Amino acid sequence: QVQLVESGGGLVQAGGSLRLSCAPAGRTASGYTMGWFRQAPGSEREFVAALSWSGGMKSYADSVKGRFTISRDYAKNTVYLQMNSLKPEDTAVYYCAARGSASLSTQNSAYAYWGQGTQVTVSS
C-alpha cells in the first residue's frame, strides 16, 4: 500500500507559476512510475504528466507541453510538477498517482495509488 500526500496548490494569477509536490507517506516510491492527473468541476479526471522511476521516460498531455515539468528528487523521495504560464483552464484539483510498473501510462485505471488531491485555481 502506498499513501501519497500532495502539497503546493493554491490561487495564482494567469501567467504565474506553482510547484506541486507528492511524497509517499512512510515508505519509498522506489520502482514506481508516478503520474499527475487533474479534475475540473463537471469534467472527468484527465492525465497531465507521468515519469518513470528511472526518470528516463516522461509523458505530457498536449495541453501542458512546454509549460509543465514533472521531476523527482530521489533523496527526498518526492515527485514534483512545476507549472509555469498557468491559464484559467488549468484550474482543477490535481492528483498524484503511483503505478507499480516501469512503463508509463496516461490512463487513470493504470494507477493503483492516489493522493487526496490539491486545489489549483488560476484567476484571469
Side-chain angles (χ1 to χ4, degrees):
Q1 187 77 9
V2 179
Q3 292 182 311
L4 302 172
V5 180
E6 301 113 331
S7 61
L11 173 64
V12 64
Q13 289 188 331
S17 299
L18 281 174
R19 188 177 76 163
L20 306 183
S21 301
C22 172
R27 61 162 291 169
T28 178
S30 176
Y32 285 81
T33 287
M34 303 298 293
W36 285 98
F37 291 76
R38 67 186 182 186
Q39 187 168 19
S43 300
E44 295 186 351
R45 190 174 300 185
E46 64 176 8
F47 170 76
V48 175
L51 176 66
S52 63
W53 163 247
S54 69
M57 295 188 292
K58 295 183 182 181
S59 179
Y60 295 95
D62 288 342
S63 58
V64 307
K65 280 181 182 176
R67 300 188 298 123
F68 290 12
T69 302
I70 187 171
S71 63
R72 67 197 308 165
D73 185 324
Y74 296 93
K76 295 182 178 180
N77 198 31
T78 299
V79 174
Y80 301 101
L81 184 68
Q82 178 67 44
M83 305 185 294
N84 298 328
S85 302
L86 283 161
K87 305 174 182 179
E89 50 263 45
D90 293 318
T91 295
V93 177
Y94 283 71
Y95 296 90
C96 176
R99 166 177 163 78
S101 169
S103 62
L104 299 181
S105 176
T106 63
Q107 304 301 308
N108 286 285
S109 58
Y111 292 80
Y113 307 105
W114 293 83
Q116 80 287 355
T118 185
Q119 177 70 46
V120 171
T121 303
V122 184
S123 63
S124 58

